[in-house]
Amino acid sequence: MNKQLLGVIDATTVHDDLQELSIHRSVAAIPFGGRYRLIDFILSNMVNSGIQSVAIFPKFQYRSLMDHLGSGRNWDLNRKRDGLFFFPAPNLDKHYTGIGTLDHFADNLDFFERSTQDYAVISNSYTVFNMNFQPLLDWHIKSGCDITEVQKEGKSLGIYLVKKTLLMDLVLTRNETGYSNMRDVVTDLDSQFHLCYYNFEGYASMVNTIENYFKTSMDLLKPEVWKELFPKERPILTKVKDEPPTRYDVDASVRNSMVANGGMIEGTVENSIIARGVKIGKGTVIRNCIIMQKTQIKENCLLDSVIVDKDARIEAGTVITAPAESPAVIRKGTVQGVGSSS
Amino acid sequence: MLLAGGKGSRLHSLTKNLAKPAVPFGGKYRIIDFPLSNCTNSGIHTVGVLTQYQPLLLNSYIGIGSAWDLDRKDGGVTVLPPYAESSEVKWYSGTASAIFQNLNYLDQYDPEYVLILSGDHIYKMNYELMLNYHIEKGADATISVIEVPWEETNRFGIMNTDSDLRITEFEEKPDVAKNNLASMGIYIFKWSVLREYLIRDDQNTESSHDFGKDIIPLLIQENMKLFAYPFKGYWKDVGTVQSLWEANMDLLDKDCELNLFDHSWRIYSVNPNQPPQYICPDGGVSESLVNEGCKIEGEVSRTVVFQGVTVKKGAVVKETVIMPDAIIGHNCVIEKAIISPGVYVPDGTIIRPGESANDITLVSEETIGELQSN
């Protein structure tokens, strides 16, 4: 099968506007869609495109990312040859500026040397999309490109395809060329390379602010987006959790929502994304919310346009509402409402 | 040693291409997940699974046992199908002969104790506590028993015991029972004792090679030390369409003794890795269990919905079990049914319970054509 492509995921990105959700975790590991983390999309896309060797380059706060990925078994990447590789930045003081930082690759050049694949796809870790890289590779080869950037409606998606030998040249000559990352390479107007731009037609959203995290999450409730992101033949894979099916109580009322396993729903849920193992008490109304894993919301609460991070507890009778255009964020593990200290 | 070769013929079309232990249960699981998870949770990491009837799906489901954390360097799970010897092919003719034919497997581990399980029951049990009891009693064999209602004793193998719970008599489905302690089909043996009796049983041409009919009565007759281990908690044989439906409905009861949400005794299964369930703007779900990958556009109440199920607009489903990947068409009205995996129920189909309110309709590919529609 397809052994031509090497997957490279740059998980070093820090988005200041996502800080509320990335205090304890890298952007790549931000929970999304009830049971996923952002990196699941790019990683599953690579695996579904036949890529059997994926290297992940993280920098800060990657404990939860490592815990999530494990041996790569859930993506079928626990292989004897190839599989999943993890290359944390050896030096936290070095400043990485963009997707595909050549300095970071330079520290792990032997990996690229040893790999047998001829091409590499280099990607950010936080784009929500479902894309097959095989047609991209075919197009890249047929068009005689040196470097191809994937775009959506003329905007960069932070995904690059390049011959592995050229990538290694770029790494080795970075001091002479002044290129520090892949973005620099493709935006150089005087480039000696044949630069190409490939338009991705499907749904794609780069998650880099709270507002657009919220909007992208809510897009999942649109059947046409859901269908495009989760086709049966190209599944988005994630770490499995052995949660039981979700239990709906006799008083539960759920409309236009995505609900993951292991939940106990006794209240009303509308236009919301409910993650694994969430409890929603009697008389509580949840509207336009994103509730993350194992959060408990007690009885008779009202939450509207709120993102509640993992393991939080909302005490009975608490009301939290925010305008839809700037949702409130409740931090991981905090307690809110009556009797809480915060 | 987990006996998983059963045909489960009273489950009709559900077990046509499927061994009974592989029958789906509880919105996500297969029956065999319960004994396998019990093993893992009890600290038993060497499990032989004896298969015979329709083993294809069961074998691939068990795989190398990773779903139950039984993919181990030492021990782990081993699927043990019947095999050919130089002279003949030996099918497993009874529960005892199935174990006897795997003496080599057991000898390779040379255990002190052997636990015999069946893949037919839904329950959570810590086998370690039973083993402690077995050791404490100095027993040759210990049989787990549960109190059943007196009027149902004629459906079970009943253990008569003395005041110390030593088994004095075994009665298979007695008309008039002296006791209401029913065997759960869970045995712990001293391996040296069981080994000897299995060899003797094999040489006895009169024997039907069954634990309940042959091995246990012989042990009692020869005055070996057999004890009953009283189990309290949820235990259900899901051998019929009715009991399978009932056990699924039991899960909808909030106070059900079988708590699937207990993280300290998780029931593991092969996870389908599908997106979260999507409840549409017109959909409604109450008093139900719903698994990943479902799309609910209709009204669902008191129903167990497995992964990948679609319930289309206008459909009303009550007190039903919808197995994986089934599709319920527009405007169907379904009450008290089990919908087999992958079945497409055409738009407007009406399924209601028959004459007696307890009639459960089993809907399969074969019977779907006979159903009434409007």
Side-chain angles (χ1 to χ4, degrees):
Chain A
M1 288 293 287
N2 174 21
K3 288 198 167 168
Q4 281 189 359
L5 264 176
L6 192 65
V8 176
I9 301 176
D10 185 322
T12 60
T13 314
V14 177
H15 291 308
D16 290 339
D17 291 341
L18 267 173
Q19 204 203 0
E20 288 285 317
L21 295 175
S22 56
I23 296 169
H24 306 281
R25 54 172 86 94
S26 63
V27 171
I30 291 179
F32 182 82
R35 65 194 290 271
Y36 304 98
R37 291 181 188 260
L38 289 175
I39 197 169
D40 290 341
F41 289 87
I42 179 62
L43 190 55
S44 301
N45 287 341
M46 286 179 169
V47 169
N48 290 335
S49 304
I51 295 177
Q52 298 181 6
S53 181
V54 178
I56 301 195
F57 290 82
K59 190 171 179 190
F60 299 106
Q61 307 280 26
Y62 51 76
R63 193 201 67 186
S64 62
L65 186 62
M66 285 190 76
D67 174 61
H68 180 69
L69 298 172
S71 65
R73 183 158 103 183
N74 288 304
W75 296 266
D76 223 9
L77 286 171
N78 53 335
R79 301 270 69 98
K80 287 206 168 167
R81 301 189 59 162
D82 294 335
L84 187 68
F85 299 87
F86 220 67
F87 301 117
N91 186 349
L92 288 184
D93 300 332
K94 266 191 200 168
H95 190 56
Y96 295 163
T97 48
I99 300 303
T101 300
L102 300 174
D103 259 351
H104 198 165
F105 295 160
D107 290 322
N108 301 282
L109 204 61
D110 49 343
F111 165 75
F112 293 98
E113 268 163 21
R114 245 184 267 135
S115 297
T116 54
Q117 290 80 357
D118 292 330
Y119 293 87
V121 56
I122 300 159
S123 173
N124 67 80
S125 62
Y126 50 89
T127 301
V128 174
F129 67 138
N130 192 319
M131 177 179 178
N132 187 353
F133 294 122
Q134 200 56 55
L136 168 68
L137 176 64
D138 294 344
W139 184 86
H140 176 89
I141 294 172
K142 207 177 71 196
S143 314
C145 305
D146 289 322
I147 298 152
T148 299
E149 182 182 64
V150 180
Q151 299 188 334
K152 166 110 189 134
E153 287 151 6
K155 272 198 208 146
S156 172
L157 278 179
I159 299 164
Y160 308 93
L161 187 77
V162 58
K163 213 175 210 165
K164 190 190 77 178
T165 46
L166 175 55
L167 175 65
M168 288 167 66
D169 284 345
L170 289 169
V171 171
L172 292 170
T173 58
R174 66 191 187 284
N175 290 333
E176 293 90 80
T177 58
Y179 295 149
S180 64
N181 57 45
M182 293 306 293
R183 181 80 186 145
D184 291 350
V185 179
V186 297
T187 48
D188 182 2
L189 294 174
D190 303 321
S191 178
Q192 47 161 328
F193 299 116
H194 182 195
L195 303 176
C196 300
Y197 305 94
Y198 178 89
N199 184 48
F200 175 63
E201 311 236 317
Y203 179 89
S205 176
M206 294 175 88
V207 174
N208 46 22
T209 63
I210 293 288
E211 289 71 29
N212 118 5
Y213 173 82
F214 189 71
K215 185 187 168 296
T216 308
S217 299
M218 290 303 158
D219 280 349
L220 295 175
L221 300 177
K222 297 176 185 160
E224 65 278 12
V225 174
W226 196 90
K227 242 186 231 162
E228 240 183 83
L229 285 177
F230 305 113
K232 277 226 160 101
E233 65 281 8
R234 299 173 47 77
I236 302 301
L237 303 168
T238 189
K239 183 183 177 187
V240 297
K241 278 277 158 74
D242 285 293
E243 292 282 359
T246 285
R247 178 208 292 279
Y248 293 85
D249 193 61
V250 65
D251 301 319
S253 163
V254 180
R255 296 268 184 270
N256 194 34
S257 294
M258 246 174 116
V259 186
N261 269 1
M264 291 194 189
I265 316 282
E266 300 183 350
T268 299
V269 178
E270 287 169 12
N271 312 324
S272 294
I273 315 272
I274 310 293
R276 294 190 274 208
V278 166
K279 287 184 187 150
I280 293 174
K282 252 189 197 134
T284 285
V285 178
I286 306 287
R287 273 194 204 109
N288 313 310
C289 287
I290 297 163
I291 314 291
M292 294 193 201
Q293 201 175 308
K294 286 194 180 155
T295 277
Q296 297 188 29
I297 300 170
K298 306 280 188 194
E299 300 76 28
N300 303 315
C301 296
L302 170 66
L303 270 67
D304 195 337
S305 303
V306 184
I307 300 170
V308 187
D309 206 334
K310 281 172 73 171
D311 298 312
R313 203 170 78 228
I314 313 287
E315 298 291 1
T318 307
V319 177
I320 308 172
T321 60
E325 59 282 4
S326 65
V329 179
I330 307 293
R331 282 194 188 174
K332 183 177 167 182
T334 54
V335 180
Q336 297 286 323
V338 190
S340 74
S341 53
S342 58
Chain B
M1 299 293 275
L2 175 50
L3 298 158
K7 188 172 175 205
S9 41
R10 287 174 303 157
L11 287 169
H12 304 294
S13 61
L14 278 176
T15 49
K16 193 177 154 214
N17 304 309
L18 201 64
K20 183 178 166 188
V23 167
F25 177 80
K28 163 166 192 181
Y29 311 95
R30 294 183 187 270
I31 296 171
I32 198 170
D33 287 329
F34 288 82
L36 283 177
S37 300
N38 286 339
C39 282
T40 288
N41 289 329
S42 303
I44 298 173
H45 297 138
T46 305
V47 182
V49 181
L50 297 98
T51 61
Q52 176 158 289
Y53 174 78
Q54 287 288 3
L56 178 66
L57 195 144
L58 186 58
N59 288 355
S60 70
Y61 186 72
I62 295 168
I64 58 167
S66 42
W68 306 272
D69 222 5
L70 289 171
D71 51 334
R72 305 257 166 176
K73 277 217 161 77
D74 299 313
V77 76
T78 309
V79 176
L80 303 167
Y83 54 91
E85 290 182 9
S86 50
S87 55
E88 56 174 333
V89 178
K90 280 187 170 170
W91 293 104
Y92 296 154
S93 56
T95 49
S97 74
I99 306 291
F100 174 77
Q101 277 163 243
N102 288 291
L103 277 189
N104 287 343
Y105 170 78
L106 282 155
D107 281 343
Q108 161 193 320
Y109 293 104
D110 192 25
E112 256 182 89
Y113 307 101
V114 173
L115 169 71
I116 312 277
L117 300 169
S118 79
D120 298 347
H121 302 116
I122 303 294
Y123 65 108
K124 299 207 287 189
M125 179 173 176
N126 189 342
Y127 304 131
E128 200 183 2
L129 299 179
M130 179 172 168
L131 178 63
N132 292 344
Y133 176 91
H134 175 85
I135 295 169
E136 217 172 87
K137 292 281 184 189
D140 294 309
T142 300
I143 302 172
S144 183
V145 295
I146 188 162
E147 281 186 38
V148 294
W150 281 94
E151 60 272 20
E152 287 181 27
T153 47
N154 60 351
R155 290 177 43 218
F156 294 94
I158 298 296
M159 299 288 160
N160 296 324
T161 63
D162 65 16
S163 58
D164 193 33
L165 287 172
R166 180 158 175 178
I167 297 167
T168 54
E169 191 185 10
F170 172 74
E171 289 183 290
E172 183 70 24
K173 299 179 181 161
D175 288 329
V176 184
K178 299 176 197 137
N179 200 336
N180 67 339
L181 295 177
S183 164
M184 297 164 66
I186 301 166
Y187 313 105
I188 290 178
F189 288 95
K190 247 186 210 157
W191 173 229
S192 55
V193 173
L194 178 62
R195 197 175 188 283
E196 182 201 322
Y197 276 79
L198 285 174
I199 292 168
R200 278 173 57 192
D201 177 75
D202 180 62
Q203 287 157 353
N204 177 3
T205 49
E206 309 275 289
S207 172
S208 57
H209 309 301
D210 186 87
F211 275 100
K213 292 195 189 84
D214 306 290
I215 302 282
I216 303 297
L218 189 64
L219 282 161
I220 296 171
Q221 194 189 318
E222 301 196 345
N223 213 20
M224 300 300 280
K225 284 176 83 179
L226 271 75
F227 282 88
Y229 173 73
F231 173 76
K232 286 204 169 54
Y234 189 93
W235 178 80
K236 195 141 189 164
D237 183 340
V238 286
T240 63
V241 172
Q242 175 77 30
S243 64
L244 179 65
W245 177 85
E246 278 174 14
N248 274 287
M249 291 300 123
D250 285 346
L251 296 174
L252 302 178
D253 180 0
K254 245 181 146 180
D255 308 314
C256 178
E257 277 183 285
L258 187 79
N259 180 6
L260 296 175
F261 289 77
D262 176 7
H263 281 188
S264 66
W265 203 271
R266 260 185 221 263
I267 303 302
Y268 299 102
S269 69
V270 176
N271 285 274
N273 220 335
Q274 294 193 21
Q277 54 208 261
Y278 175 52
I279 316 294
C280 300
D282 304 320
V285 184
S286 75
E287 259 196 300
S288 295
L289 282 175
V290 185
N291 197 14
E292 295 171 348
C294 291
K295 192 173 178 194
I296 312 289
E297 299 172 356
E299 291 282 340
V300 171
S301 62
R302 286 199 63 77
T303 288
V304 174
V305 189
F306 283 75
Q307 67 269 18
V309 164
T310 304
V311 177
K312 298 209 167 160
K313 235 180 220 178
V316 179
V317 185
K318 270 183 201 162
E319 295 187 278
T320 289
V321 178
I322 313 176
M323 290 189 171
D325 303 312
I327 300 171
I328 310 294
H330 292 103
N331 304 316
C332 288
V333 178
I334 299 176
E335 213 173 308
K336 291 202 168 144
I338 295 181
I339 314 293
S340 302
V343 169
Y344 174 67
V345 183
D347 293 358
T349 304
I350 295 182
I351 302 169
R352 288 193 198 281
E355 295 291 300
S356 79
N358 284 328
D359 263 359
I360 304 306
T361 315
L362 175 61
V363 181
S364 64
E365 293 289 355
E366 290 83 25
T367 61
I368 192 80
E370 302 159 17
L371 291 165
Q372 167 208 1
S373 71
N374 58 356

